[in-house]
């Protein structure tokens, strides 16, 4: 059998590309080295609950085309991410909004909250923030930085806030309304039945081979298709010729508990450094579950070395430069398309990855 496309990786990039190619009448083979599809958004059913095995995943987007596409495959529920944060024995709403400001300072109006932040911003004396600490102090002031950011960020990244890029903290919204929605996007939800079901739908009617590592079987796999879509790590593809790209890893500890409702929310962040984990996820709340038991996951930040699961890219200047060297090599291989978070070494959200696969597929086929 000869295929138009061999797709390496059954994550969202590979599955979207495969789905579009199949719809366009192309023949497709999808392989993955893991024993399951769906990549890092894989959900596994435990006690009737869809457990997010590689960390909590909330679908959010402002891209209507992407939203319509995923909704054409499965139904999404109305879940809105509203995590709470435990800091020094007290719970605070996230992202930083009027509820948080009220809990922290007792203020009641946006004018009072803005005045507090302006006063702390002025006291910091920083005009041009050069790192995450300075960025946080100028965005939200000292009190929020110390109560909700510093210790969480330092354990998450294993580095001091003063040594981290400012961009990380800019992801979090700051609002002067009583709105606990963690995201600003127009659309948000969780696929009813979990992400694995979404990816199953994408791959419907497509041949999928699991437990198949492309790089270990390259000689026999490469010739079986006209084009290869590679979504694995770009440095591994080139046998780490220039050295390896760095990542931040995570460890997950799952527990089935014989209680109906453990923490009353899908995500609770633990800020203080005395907790070795950053958050506890209670998966049933993503789908408003009423099962008699519950499954909770503690998420521990972890250093990364070769052999460990890759989670967060480290987009500092050293790694960005290294990636660009691999990109030059990748661009020379006309048979290959490199796409997704590992092959492009980029922190992509799920909607970004779907959009990117759509764009690349359309470029290919127009
Ligand atoms: P992946 O999902 O990693 O898929 C790549 C696949 O390729 C894997 O299955 C892998 O096994 C396979 N593969 C690699 N090498 C080979 C090989 N040699 N041979 C065969 N197969 C191979 N995004 C959101 O939008 N919302 C969230 O709330 C969110 N939360 C996240 C939380 C965490 C902890 C993390 C780490 C990420 C989160 N993301 C979130 C991002 C989301 O996980 C990614 O956008 C998405 O999974 C990327 O899809 P991908 O297909 O590029 O990569
Ligand atoms: N962050 C924080 N306190 C929190 C939550 C997040 O300081 O309670 C910071 C932390 O540096 C984190 C960044 O904000 O890396 C981005 O948070 P997000 O929730 O987007 O991280 P992710 O879901 O990607 O782990």
């Amino acid at each position: 059998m000869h295929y138009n496309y061999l797709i390496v990786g059954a994550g969202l990039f590979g599955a979207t590309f495969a789905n579009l190619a199949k719809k366009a009448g192309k023949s497709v083979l999808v392989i993955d080295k893991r024993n399951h599809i769906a990549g890092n958004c894989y959900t596994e059913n435990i006690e009737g609950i869809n457990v997010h095995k590689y960390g909590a995943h909330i679908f959010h987007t402002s891209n209507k085309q992407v939203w319509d596409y995923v909704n054409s495959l499965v139904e999404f529920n109305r879940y809105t991410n509203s995590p709470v944060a435990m800091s020094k024995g007290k719970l605070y709403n996230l992202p930083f909004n009027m509820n948080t400001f009220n809990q922290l300072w007792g203020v009641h109006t946006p004018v009072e909250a803005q005045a507090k932040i302006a006063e702390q911003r002025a006291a910091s004396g920083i005009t041009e923030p050069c790192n995450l600490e300075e960025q946080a102090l100028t965005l939200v002031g000292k009190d929020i930085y110390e109560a909700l950011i510093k210790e969480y960020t330092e354990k998450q990244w294993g580095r001091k806030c003063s040594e981290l890029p400012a961009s990380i903290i800019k992801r979090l919204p700051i609002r002067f309304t009583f709105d606990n929605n963690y995201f600003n996007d127009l659309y948000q939800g969780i696929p009813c039945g979990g992400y694995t079901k979404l990816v199953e739908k994408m791959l419907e009617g497509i041949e999928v081979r699991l437990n198949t590592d492309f790089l270990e079987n390259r000689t026999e796999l490469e010739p079986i298709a006209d084009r290869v879509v590679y979504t694995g790590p770009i440095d591994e593809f080139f046998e780490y010729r220039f050295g390896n790209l760095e990542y931040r890893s995570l460890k997950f500890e799952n527990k089935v508990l014989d209680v109906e409702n453990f923490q009353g929310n899908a995500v609770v962040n633990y800020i203080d450094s005395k907790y070795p984990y950053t958050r506890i996820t209670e998966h049933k709340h993503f789908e408003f579950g009423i099962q008699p038991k519950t499954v909770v996951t503690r998420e521990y930040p972890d250093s990364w070395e070769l052999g460990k699961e890759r989670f967060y890219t480290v987009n500092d200047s050293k790694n960005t430069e290294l990636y660009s060297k691999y990109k030059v090599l990748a661009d020379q291989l006309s048979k290959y398309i490199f796409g997704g978070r590992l092959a492009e070494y980029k922190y992509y959200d799920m909607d970004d990855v779907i959009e990117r696969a759509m764009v690349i597929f359309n470029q290919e086929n127009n």
Side-chain angles (χ1 to χ4, degrees), residues 186-222:
L186 286 176
Y187 313 106
Q188 185 172 170
I190 301 281
C192 301
Y195 288 92
T196 306
K197 191 170 156 200
L198 168 68
V199 178
E200 266 165 18
K201 270 285 187 188
M202 288 174 156
L203 296 175
E204 212 166 62
I206 295 171
E207 186 181 346
V208 179
R209 288 186 209 161
L210 297 175
N211 304 305
T212 307
D213 190 320
F214 176 73
L215 298 175
E216 281 173 11
N217 301 283
R218 189 163 164 176
T219 334
E220 82 203 48
L221 286 171
E222 198 177 56

Side-chain angles (χ1 to χ4, degrees), residues 56 81 83-85 94 96 132 145 148-154 156-157 161 164 168-172 182-183 250 269-271 278-279 299 312 347 349:
N81 200 33
V84 290
L94 290 175
F96 312 125
L132 195 150
Y145 174 63
L148 295 168
I149 297 175
K150 188 174 190 299
E151 291 176 44
Y152 182 99
T153 300
E154 293 188 345
Q156 166 81 343
W157 294 98
C161 287
L164 284 164
I168 295 177
I169 203 70
K170 285 200 227 155
R171 289 163 55 92
L172 295 187
Y182 202 59
F183 302 113
L250 295 171
N269 289 0
Y270 283 79
I271 307 293
T278 47
R279 47 191 171 193
E299 191 171 316
Y312 296 101
Y347 188 93
D349 273 330

Side-chain angles (χ1 to χ4, degrees), residues 156-267:
Q156 166 81 343
W157 294 98
R159 276 200 239 167
K160 292 215 163 303
C161 287
S162 54
E163 292 161 13
L164 284 164
S167 56
I168 295 177
I169 203 70
K170 285 200 227 155
R171 289 163 55 92
L172 295 187
I174 298 159
R175 286 196 201 107
F176 294 92
T177 53
F178 290 90
D179 179 359
N180 297 326
N181 184 348
Y182 202 59
F183 302 113
N184 281 329
D185 278 319
L186 286 176
Y187 313 106
Q188 185 172 170
I190 301 281
C192 301
Y195 288 92
T196 306
K197 191 170 156 200
L198 168 68
V199 178
E200 266 165 18
K201 270 285 187 188
M202 288 174 156
L203 296 175
E204 212 166 62
I206 295 171
E207 186 181 346
V208 179
R209 288 186 209 161
L210 297 175
N211 304 305
T212 307
D213 190 320
F214 176 73
L215 298 175
E216 281 173 11
N217 301 283
R218 189 163 164 176
T219 334
E220 82 203 48
L221 286 171
E222 198 177 56
I224 67 172
D226 302 330
R227 304 273 277 144
V228 179
V229 177
Y230 179 82
T231 74
I234 190 167
D235 51 351
E236 189 178 22
F237 181 93
F238 293 108
E239 293 166 330
Y240 307 107
R241 196 175 303 178
F242 307 124
N244 69 267
L245 290 161
E246 290 171 320
Y247 287 84
R248 187 87 181 129
S249 200
L250 295 171
K251 276 191 193 139
F252 299 104
E253 180 190 78
N254 295 318
K255 280 191 184 148
V256 179
L257 303 178
D258 205 1
V259 293
E260 209 184 301
N261 188 359
F262 173 71
Q263 62 183 17
N265 206 31
V267 183

Side-chain angles (χ1 to χ4, degrees), residues 9 12-13 32-33 40 56-58 213-214 341 348-350:
L12 273 184
F13 188 96
D32 203 295
K33 67 177 179 186
N40 277 5
H57 277 69
I58 299 100
D213 190 320
F214 176 73
R341 67 180 191 108
Y348 277 134
D349 273 330
M350 292 183 280

